[in-house]
């Protein structure tokens, strides 16, 4: 229902402002397809499916260096955006597979794969991907000692909200000048100016935005750039500028629903928290970059969410975490 509302609202705002909703519709379709495939794969192969996903993400990054936003293959993946996102999702999938494995040797190998993903990000020059992959691995190890998944997921949701709020504060010039300078040094002044243009477009029409796909036409900074892709390089700000406050609420609802599904899901707590940490890291990357404009990232996010909320057809090993039992454990199920 949430994804359907996202697609429907993009069509409404496109009709009002003569926008182009194809990109939003493609992203919704990619997430839905990935989620469905993840539910199936996670049910049949709780260890094999996320392991295959992790290897696929690593192989995609290494073997296909020219992934473009959408279905076309024309422009580099970009160290600060999609490369970091794909490698972070790969590390998270490897850690989820590790928690689902029974043999200690297999768990160690899968965590070594996650660590290798962080090393690969460093080799490729993606500092963001290296940091987020290590963060996902550390959060996954800590998840085994977490008593209640609800508290952990609430913390992750707060982290995602703070990362998004900081980006918005920079765009609205509501932070000290030193912090803005720090962002400009790390992300370039051009990107900060794009964020500020998005904030101004939101102020011009907070209800409906300017229409999907129209940011590049109306942004002064984007129009003056010779290599602009017509995007503000921040998923929440792009959603706000092009689809208004309602679009932002729908985007937040989609992320919130995933956290709720992980909370109520049947998988052990370490798996749910690892997936939540990975998707939170992805949300932080998307708040300061263009990662969600790449179809591979949308599909990977849906896959991970689906595998982490699937009901396996085989019995998973018990974990030492007190809240590690699947929800509804103790009830018999007739197949």
């Amino acid at each position: 229902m949430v994804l359907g509302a996202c697609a429907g609202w993009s069509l409404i705002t496109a009709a009002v402002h003569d926008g182009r909703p194809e990109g939003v519709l493609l992203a919704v379709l990619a997430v839905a397809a990935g989620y469905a495939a993840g539910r199936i794969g996670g049910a049949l192969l709780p260890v094999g499916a996320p392991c295959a996903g992790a290897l696929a993400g690593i192989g995609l990054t290494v073997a296909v260096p020219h992934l473009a936003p959408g279905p076309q293959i024309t422009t580099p993946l970009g160290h600060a955006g999609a490369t970091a996102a794909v490698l972070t999702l790969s590390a998270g999938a490897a850690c989820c597979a590790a928690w689902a494995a029974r043999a200690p040797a297999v768990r160690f190998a899968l965590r070594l794969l996650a660590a290798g993903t962080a090393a690969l990000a460093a080799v490729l020059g993606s500092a963001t991907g290296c940091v987020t992959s290590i963060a996902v691995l550390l959060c996954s190890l800590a998840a085994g000692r977490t008593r209640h998944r609800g508290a952990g997921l609430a913390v992750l949701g707060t982290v995602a909200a703070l990362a998004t709020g900081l980006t918005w504060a920079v765009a609205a010039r509501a932070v000290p000048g030193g912090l803005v300078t720090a962002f400009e040094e790390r992300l370039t002044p051009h990107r900060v100016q794009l964020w500020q243009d998005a904030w101004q477009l939101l102020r011009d029409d907070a209800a409906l935005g300017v229409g999907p796909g129209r940011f590049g036409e109306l942004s002064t900074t984007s129009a003056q750039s010779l290599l602009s892709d017509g995007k503000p390089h921040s998923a929440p700000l792009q959603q706000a500028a092009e689809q208004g406050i309602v679009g932002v609420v729908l985007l937040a609802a989609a992320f919130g629903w995933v956290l709720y599904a992980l909370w109520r899901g049947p998988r052990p707590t370490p798996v749910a928290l690892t997936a939540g940490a990975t998707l939170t890291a992805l949300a932080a990357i998307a708040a300061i970059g263009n990662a969600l404009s790449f179809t591979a990232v949308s599909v990977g996010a849906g896959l991970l969410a689906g595998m982490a909320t699937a009901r396996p057809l085989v019995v998973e090993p018990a974990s030492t975490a007190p809240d590690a039992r699947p929800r509804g454990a103790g009830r018999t199920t007739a197949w």
Side-chain angles (χ1 to χ4, degrees):
M1 291 178 63
V2 173
L3 292 179
C6 291
W9 183 249
S10 70
L11 292 173
I12 292 172
T13 55
V16 172
H17 291 295
D18 194 24
R20 297 178 296 277
E22 295 82 5
V24 178
L25 297 178
L26 176 63
V28 170
L29 178 61
V31 172
Y35 184 77
R39 288 294 296 260
I40 296 171
L44 297 176
L45 300 169
V47 180
C51 179
L55 293 174
I58 294 172
L60 184 67
T61 306
V62 174
V64 187
H66 295 293
L67 291 181
Q72 302 299 323
I73 300 179
T74 56
T75 59
L77 193 61
H79 291 320
T83 297
V86 171
L87 291 177
T88 300
L89 289 170
S90 298
C95 291
C96 287
W99 278 116
R102 298 185 180 184
V106 176
R107 285 190 174 186
F108 177 78
L110 289 169
R111 286 170 181 152
L112 190 62
L113 176 62
T117 302
L120 175 61
V123 170
L124 294 176
S126 176
T128 302
C130 181
V131 171
T132 53
S133 297
I134 293 175
V136 166
L137 178 59
L138 294 177
C139 288
S140 178
L141 294 174
R145 299 178 178 274
T146 303
R147 291 181 175 273
H148 302 290
R149 72 173 69 184
L153 291 171
V155 171
L156 293 174
T158 302
V159 170
L162 290 175
T164 302
L166 180 59
T167 305
W168 280 53
V170 172
R173 302 181 179 90
V175 295
L179 185 57
V180 175
T181 302
F183 270 86
E184 290 178 343
E185 291 177 353
R186 182 66 181 88
L187 301 174
T188 72
H190 177 74
R191 183 171 304 188
V192 174
Q193 291 169 6
L194 288 173
W195 294 355
Q196 293 171 350
D197 285 356
W199 177 259
Q200 185 58 48
L201 292 176
L202 171 64
R203 294 183 61 184
D204 293 341
D205 192 342
L208 297 174
V210 299
R214 299 194 65 216
F215 175 82
E217 303 173 10
L218 303 176
S219 167
T220 304
T221 303
S222 181
Q224 293 174 348
S225 175
L226 297 177
L227 300 175
S228 174
D229 58 2
K231 302 180 185 300
H233 288 258
S234 173
L237 285 171
Q238 180 175 352
Q239 193 79 350
E242 296 185 345
Q243 299 186 46
I245 295 298
V246 175
V248 176
V249 171
L250 290 174
L251 182 64
F255 181 75
W257 181 86
V258 170
L259 294 183
Y260 176 80
L262 291 172
W263 176 51
R264 299 298 302 173
R267 303 298 300 276
T269 292
V271 174
L273 291 179
T274 298
T278 305
L279 295 174
T280 299
L282 176 60
I285 294 172
I288 61 172
N290 203 26
L292 293 188
S293 295
F294 293 76
T295 303
V297 176
S298 301
V299 173
L303 276 170
L304 182 64
M307 290 185 293
T309 55
R311 185 178 298 277
L313 300 181
V314 297
V315 179
E316 290 189 276
S319 174
T320 56
D323 191 38
R325 286 194 313 167
R327 296 281 172 173
R331 297 196 297 263
T332 58
T333 303
W335 294 96

